Amino acid sequence: MAESWSFLDTFEPNFRPLVVIELAKGTKEETIEWFTKRIVDKKANGGAQLLIKPLVTENGDENIYLVGASHLRLLLGAETVGLVKECNDNSMRTFTYSSRKTFKDFADDNHDFLTMAECQYIIKHELENLRAKDEKMIPGYPQAKLYPGKSIVRRLLTSGILVQIFPLHDREELKKLRHSWYGRVKVGYQPLDEIRCYFGETIALYFGFLEYFTFALIPMAVIGIPYYVFAWEDYDKYVMFATFNLLWSTVILEVWKRICAIMTYRWGTLLMKRQFEEPRPGFHGVLGINPITGREEPVYSSIKRQIRIYLVSLPFVCLCLYFSLYVMMIYFDLEQWALDYHEENESNFSSLMLFVPSIIYAVVIEIMNRIYRYAAEFLTSWENHRLESSYQNHLILKVLVFNFLNCFASLFYIAFVLFDMKLLRQSLATLLITSQILNQFAESLLPYWLQKRHKKRMKKRMCSLKADTDLSLVEQVNLEKEMGTYFGTFDDYLELFLQFGYVSLFSCVYPLAAVFAVLNNITEIYSDALKMCRVYKRPFAEPTANIGVWQLAFETMSVISVVTNCILIGMSPQVNALFAESKTDLILTVALVEHLLLAIKFIMAFVIPDKPRDIQIKLAKLEFESLEALKQQVRATDMYNSEK
Amino acid sequence: MAESWSFLDTFEPNFRPLVVIELAKGTKEETIEWFTKRIVDKKANGGAQLLIKPLVTENGDENIYLVGASHLRLLLGAETVGLVKECNDNSMRTFTYSSRKTFKDFADDNHDFLTMAECQYIIKHELENLRAKDEKMIPGYPQAKLYPGKSIVRRLLTSGILVQIFPLHDREELKKLRHSWYGRVKVGYQPLDEIRCYFGETIALYFGFLEYFTFALIPMAVIGIPYYVFAWEDYDKYVMFATFNLLWSTVILEVWKRICAIMTYRWGTLLMKRQFEEPRPGFHGVLGINPITGREEPVYSSIKRQIRIYLVSLPFVCLCLYFSLYVMMIYFDLEQWALDYHEENESNFSSLMLFVPSIIYAVVIEIMNRIYRYAAEFLTSWENHRLESSYQNHLILKVLVFNFLNCFASLFYIAFVLFDMKLLRQSLATLLITSQILNQFAESLLPYWLQKRHKKRMKKRMCSLKADTDLSLVEQVNLEKEMGTYFGTFDDYLELFLQFGYVSLFSCVYPLAAVFAVLNNITEIYSDALKMCRVYKRPFAEPTANIGVWQLAFETMSVISVVTNCILIGMSPQVNALFAESKTDLILTVALVEHLLLAIKFIMAFVIPDKPRDIQIKLAKLEFESLEALKQQVRATDMYNSEK
């Protein structure tokens, strides 16, 4: 079986370590033997046909394994997962082993045809699709039940035998990427294609969206600055700014779809066929027959899930929303108290005190958001969704609703109940800036600092044990396995979503919000890049063709912002002065304008095509070719039959 | 070549006439020879491999041909067009000749496996896909240019050599269908599956929608009757009725999608793959290379088309809209004049005169709609769209906007400018009822009467020529070729769309509208059925999976009706009395309720799944199977490669 892998034969020619498997310490010998045998076994015998070697650490533990694969195996795997690559004629096609010669840069000895991220994705896919045959349980662990077709890796993970699987960093590549990404001071685009090669499409698309969104905010910011500098308060200028904002936000969201299509076409994910979704790891139920696959697997009644959603989760979310509103009322009491204090003893200190309630509230909001996040994850996991996508959608919905109310309720209250535009502006500024500072700190700087400290400690310990400089691989694995895990782009998108809310919902009251958003996003790009490269374990690449449900979330926000901005403008004293004789006329006008703007938004979204013309033509061409191929096949049958 | 087909050998065993081709009188012999040769030629030689026989009429003209096909040919054609049929295990699958034994009711001698409509659709598809090879022109007609890949039939049609192609009726089947459809007086559903077998999916889906829509209107009608009977004028009752209407219309449109999915799954069209769209017959341009197919075909610059659309069509439509508004103003002058006349000399005659302007206006609206329809068709055709679908979308958009304004502008004017609820009710009733009567008359009764007269004349002439009773086939062809052509479901859907507007836009003012709509639709079902069976040529079956752009049109109407109903309720004196002290509060409340209703609508549309669960599972099962099949293929390659 697999030979031992010591820190001396790092450069064995046929084995390039790609993925690390960490088993629990003290895992039974028979389990390890069975698991590694299944991994190296031939596909024909139901194995994954990969290469695996134990990593011997300084204390002799054999609980870490390195997984790799032969070049041929990876190419066949690329066909299995349906990778799309560029052909010699510059068109994008699904890779098949038999047509490999037609692909650009393909050569039998070119091991860079597949990027390392793609290789790691293929290995992850193969490992996850390693399925139980006739085993009733994991050897050595009778309580870890198996049934035919159950993913072995997922059962090992849920029963705690497998601690983690993660892809290794490529230190050379990472160094290069770091340099071109944030290493030098420069004005320009991010190296999105390189990011995609290293981290995969989901993460590259997030950075692409972040960059696009920042650029898209610049016009708003530029137009917003004179409002602050010259303290413009004219009615017509505000209306112009708000109208521009509303139409602009529709345009940027529509244009993003087009840019996204261009990028994902180039990356091949736009053409990738959706794979059949297996149940998510945490899904449990009694064994039954899946009506779709006809296979035996856990089945959980949809009615039970509906009951959990509507009778437990929904009331809980409502309770949380109520609690959030309650906290908001406390904030207003504090605010009032600070105002009273300021009026009683007017001093520099007391005027500074005016900002304290807002800052405290912003901190409390952040804390509540984070606590609620855990509760939402727990609840959604307890709802026992069969598919990861369904789990994600329910989680996102729960988190979005709460975060929206939590962040914006106080602003709505100030705007539409207290009618205090000055306070609104002040609250908005405090909330926006505080949350940005907190986020930057909690997201990257804190983990980075912890990571730095940990690394130093590790290095010291390592060095004290052996005075060897050739430790790199063992050291690298040991370092990386202790790094935090990146849980996906959810939090990053959520932050952008809330920022979009701050910028667009009340844009006509505080035009400077866009300026802060732009400034924040520029540093965000760098701190997120730092986070990806330095703080977290390398995540597995995840092919994706768009930003999914976030597109819908941003579009909904832009619809809501039409309503809020129209009301705000209608409430402004300048507009009220204009309609001095009749308040009814004012409201009717505002309502009319609002409906017109909404109608224009929908028409614009309808008229702007989601994909640029050349991408449309390329897609149509591929579709046409596959239809033609099918016809040729039919025609061949026709001829055969007619000649009989 | 094809033998002559006289009126004696009607029952030749291997030839069942399915489709009639009528050439222009005096078509050159060489053209006919070339065309028929191409039709009977083997697929391998680029022919259609169909059977064709001339029909000798009493005056010896050989300009009508009957087309049929062998049973095997039709089965192979079914595979080419991608028909989906039911398997022995009750699942729906794409038919392939090699797997023919697994399909329900398949037997080599069962010639009813494909319905006659399917056979005719296959023949139409094969004829339209008969493409020029190296011919530069149609033999005998040097001005009718051809280029490789150009559809011969389309060129023959556009150059006038081919007068028409139409499928033959099956008199036995038609008789049965007529009987079960409208032959006996009964309460119950239409035989949609039989209609689909005879006329194809598009027409069956229209009748399905018509029936569904009628049933869906019944609750509205039932609730509306007491408002009329008891002359209820209470505020809360009207609000209840309007709210019910608005939510109900959302529900019925969502539920229709589900019902439509169930029907089209059963008919196989839900699973049918979209075929590659060829240019529409009327499309012209200079020869160039199509970027998608790489084939030589006419190319027309998209910019030129955009210029035509935005600089000619759009201004023309706007002009028509302006004209329509102008006519509306004349109507109001007439209305005023009638009112003055009534006041001056009050009599029975003068009170009847009050209705005259409305009736005249309704007639004028109908006439304008019909004239505009021709203009819109001419313009859209002149815009030179490459695809039939694009042509249809532009035509539908043009016609919808004009019809909407033409029909509803006066009502909007009365409601929101004149604030005259009594006049609104009266106008609504007159417009609705007059347009219904006109439609029924112009659509079916008039053509039916003309058809009857024509048939009698034909019969008389035939009988006078020969005292033979065995004329049936020749007579049938001669009769059917003179019948009108059914131009698709456009007008029928448009009528329903406008009716939906009358019912929903002002439902809270005139609850009785739903009652008239139901009554009209019941007779509409019968008159449309009569029209399909008796008046028009049999149309070619057209597979479709949904009602397409009409779903969107109906949904847009239901959104607009939320706005109109909220305003109408806000304007009612009862509601005004409720908010006597503050008109501002009233408007704000109305705006709030409107936004809430719109939000509920969107959430409902989002929450109700478009396909029922069992259809979703069946579709997922099919997708899973095809993915598995692909995997098996890959696995086989894997094994092959790993064993090498």
Side-chain angles (χ1 to χ4, degrees), chain A residues 357-552:
Chain A
S358 287
I359 293 172
I360 292 177
Y361 185 52
V363 174
V364 169
I365 282 178
E366 282 297 318
I367 294 170
M368 275 164 65
N369 278 348
R370 271 153 214 276
I371 294 174
Y372 176 81
R373 180 70 198 279
Y374 287 109
E377 270 172 17
F378 174 78
L379 266 180
T380 318
S381 160
W382 176 74
E383 280 163 21
N384 201 12
H385 293 273
R386 189 177 162 273
L387 299 180
E388 184 65 28
S389 60
S390 155
Y391 169 86
Q392 286 293 341
N393 285 344
H394 276 86
L395 180 62
I396 290 181
L397 187 67
K398 277 196 194 70
V399 174
L400 274 193
V401 169
F402 182 79
N403 275 260
F404 183 85
L405 195 87
N406 207 10
C407 291
F408 301 123
S410 66
L411 300 176
F412 275 94
Y413 187 81
I414 297 172
F416 306 126
V417 180
L418 303 182
F419 299 116
D420 187 342
M421 290 305 128
K422 205 165 149 273
L423 182 61
L424 177 62
R425 203 169 296 182
Q426 180 199 314
S427 288
L428 188 61
T430 323
L431 277 178
L432 178 64
I433 295 165
T434 317
S435 78
Q436 285 182 352
I437 291 171
L438 281 178
N439 262 314
Q440 297 261 2
F441 181 72
E443 230 184 53
S444 0
L445 298 180
L446 187 67
Y448 181 64
W449 178 70
L450 288 174
Q451 173 64 19
K452 263 259 157 98
R453 252 187 44 168
H454 170 78
K455 218 164 169 177
K456 257 188 201 149
R457 217 172 48 215
M458 281 288 289
K459 253 194 181 141
K460 216 179 263 173
R461 207 173 47 161
M462 291 256 177
C463 290
S464 70
L465 277 166
K466 296 197 211 297
D468 202 325
T469 47
D470 229 359
L471 270 177
S472 60
L473 184 67
V474 176
E475 196 189 32
Q476 186 192 347
V477 171
N478 273 319
L479 270 178
E480 287 183 16
K481 85 177 163 67
E482 300 296 331
M483 282 168 125
T485 307
Y486 180 66
F487 286 112
T489 48
F490 187 104
D491 286 303
D492 298 315
Y493 278 117
L494 183 62
E495 203 186 323
L496 275 187
F497 173 75
L498 294 176
Q499 185 191 70
F500 184 58
Y502 285 122
V503 172
S504 63
L505 283 179
F506 307 96
S507 66
C508 60
V509 172
Y510 190 55
L512 218 56
V515 178
F516 284 108
V518 169
L519 290 178
N520 175 68
N521 287 0
I522 291 171
T523 57
E524 178 90 20
I525 289 176
Y526 286 94
S527 68
D528 280 353
L530 188 77
K531 178 175 90 178
M532 292 310 305
C533 294
R534 290 279 199 179
V535 179
Y536 289 122
K537 277 196 227 9
R538 184 176 186 171
F540 276 109
E542 207 56 65
T544 184
N546 50 52
I547 62 170
V549 72
W550 292 104
Q551 183 82 37
L552 187 68

Side-chain angles (χ1 to χ4, degrees), chain A residues 247-270:
Chain A
L247 298 182
W248 183 244
S249 64
T250 310
V251 171
I252 61 174
L253 290 175
E254 288 301 311
V255 172
W256 165 249
K257 284 191 217 160
R258 296 166 65 93
I259 290 180
C260 182
I262 294 174
M263 280 203 287
T264 53
Y265 176 80
R266 197 173 60 222
W267 297 343
T269 46
L270 189 63

Side-chain angles (χ1 to χ4, degrees), chain B residues 278-499:
Chain B
E278 296 293 335
R280 58 189 301 268
F283 177 67
H284 55 85
V286 289
L287 271 190
I289 301 293
N290 180 328
I292 293 166
T293 60
R295 291 197 296 228
E296 204 182 27
E297 68 168 41
V299 171
Y300 189 77
S301 138
S302 148
I303 295 160
K304 270 195 208 162
R305 186 177 307 124
Q306 299 289 332
I307 289 176
R308 288 190 174 186
I309 292 175
Y310 289 107
L311 295 188
V312 179
S313 295
L314 191 66
F316 176 79
V317 172
C318 291
L319 207 75
C320 287
L321 295 178
Y322 177 79
F323 182 71
S324 154
L325 292 179
Y326 190 79
V327 170
M328 183 188 85
M329 294 319 291
I330 296 178
Y331 155 65
F332 284 114
D333 287 348
L334 264 181
E335 188 77 49
Q336 192 55 48
W337 175 84
L339 212 65
D340 292 348
Y341 180 85
H342 176 66
E343 262 162 32
E344 271 169 39
N345 23 3
E346 211 155 319
S347 70
N348 274 341
F349 171 75
S350 75
S351 66
L352 229 129
M353 276 293 283
L354 278 177
F355 283 92
V356 171
S358 287
I359 293 172
I360 293 176
Y361 185 51
V363 174
V364 169
I365 283 178
E366 283 298 318
I367 294 169
M368 276 164 63
N369 279 348
R370 271 153 214 276
I371 293 174
Y372 176 81
R373 180 68 199 282
Y374 288 109
E377 270 171 17
F378 173 79
L379 266 181
T380 319
S381 159
W382 177 74
E383 279 162 22
N384 200 12
H385 293 273
R386 192 180 159 271
L387 299 180
E388 185 63 30
S389 60
S390 155
Y391 169 85
Q392 285 295 339
N393 286 343
H394 276 86
L395 180 62
I396 290 182
L397 187 66
K398 276 196 196 68
V399 174
L400 274 193
V401 169
F402 182 79
N403 275 260
F404 183 86
L405 196 86
N406 206 10
C407 291
F408 301 122
S410 66
L411 300 176
F412 275 94
Y413 188 82
I414 298 172
F416 306 126
V417 179
L418 303 182
F419 300 116
D420 188 340
M421 289 305 127
K422 207 166 146 272
L423 182 60
L424 178 62
R425 205 169 295 181
Q426 181 201 314
S427 288
L428 188 61
T430 323
L431 278 179
L432 179 65
I433 295 165
T434 317
S435 78
Q436 285 182 352
I437 291 170
L438 281 178
N439 262 314
Q440 297 262 1
F441 180 74
E443 231 184 53
S444 1
L445 297 181
L446 187 66
Y448 181 64
W449 178 70
L450 288 173
Q451 173 65 20
K452 264 257 156 96
R453 254 187 40 168
H454 171 77
K455 218 164 168 177
K456 258 188 200 148
R457 219 173 45 217
M458 281 287 288
K459 255 197 181 135
K460 216 180 262 171
R461 207 174 46 162
M462 291 256 178
C463 290
S464 70
L465 276 166
K466 296 198 211 298
D468 202 326
T469 48
D470 228 0
L471 268 176
S472 58
L473 184 67
V474 176
E475 196 190 31
Q476 187 192 343
V477 171
N478 273 320
L479 270 178
E480 288 182 15
K481 84 178 164 67
E482 301 295 331
M483 284 167 122
T485 307
Y486 179 67
F487 285 111
T489 48
F490 186 105
D491 287 302
D492 299 314
Y493 277 116
L494 183 62
E495 202 188 322
L496 275 187
F497 172 75
L498 294 177
Q499 185 191 69

Side-chain angles (χ1 to χ4, degrees), chain B residues 4-169:
Chain B
S4 165
W5 174 275
S6 85
F7 31 85
L8 286 170
D9 49 13
T10 319
F11 295 107
E12 196 190 89
N14 283 322
F15 187 85
R16 183 194 185 197
L18 289 167
V19 172
V20 178
I21 292 182
E22 185 184 358
L23 297 174
K25 279 190 180 155
T27 303
K28 289 184 185 154
E29 201 54 51
E30 63 172 316
T31 314
I32 297 179
E33 197 167 319
W34 166 76
F35 186 42
T36 50
K37 185 170 174 338
R38 288 302 305 269
I39 289 177
V40 294
D41 227 1
K42 285 204 169 159
K43 274 293 238 182
N45 304 334
Q49 214 166 344
L50 301 172
L51 307 173
I52 187 165
K53 297 212 173 178
L55 181 86
V56 179
T57 50
E58 67 274 14
N59 42 24
D61 279 354
E62 256 205 29
N63 67 329
I64 292 176
Y65 291 81
L66 298 173
V67 181
S70 70
H71 185 51
L72 176 68
R73 182 72 197 83
L74 289 171
L75 291 177
L76 292 170
E79 180 167 343
T80 311
V81 299
L83 280 196
V84 173
K85 304 284 279 182
E86 193 176 357
C87 281
N88 282 325
D89 61 349
N90 293 327
S91 65
M92 305 297 298
R93 268 159 227 277
T94 307
F95 178 79
T96 60
Y97 186 72
S98 55
S99 66
R100 63 193 180 280
K101 304 274 189 225
T102 60
F103 285 86
K104 208 172 182 172
D105 298 327
F106 184 87
D108 277 324
D109 56 350
N110 176 14
H111 288 211
D112 291 336
F113 175 68
L114 298 175
T115 66
M116 190 173 173
E118 281 168 345
C119 294
Q120 289 166 336
Y121 172 68
I122 291 165
I123 288 184
K124 177 188 167 224
H125 180 266
E126 293 294 342
L127 285 177
E128 281 186 345
N129 275 288
L130 197 59
R131 288 170 190 289
K133 291 185 293 187
D134 40 11
E135 298 98 331
K136 287 273 166 291
M137 43 143 221
I138 288 172
Y141 293 87
Q143 78 286 5
K145 295 265 188 308
L146 285 176
Y147 48 87
K150 171 73 186 176
S151 163
I152 290 171
V153 166
R154 293 189 167 191
R155 172 56 77 230
L156 286 170
L157 273 171
T158 47
S159 57
I161 302 164
L162 189 59
V163 178
Q164 59 178 345
I165 302 185
F166 63 90
L168 267 181
H169 268 299

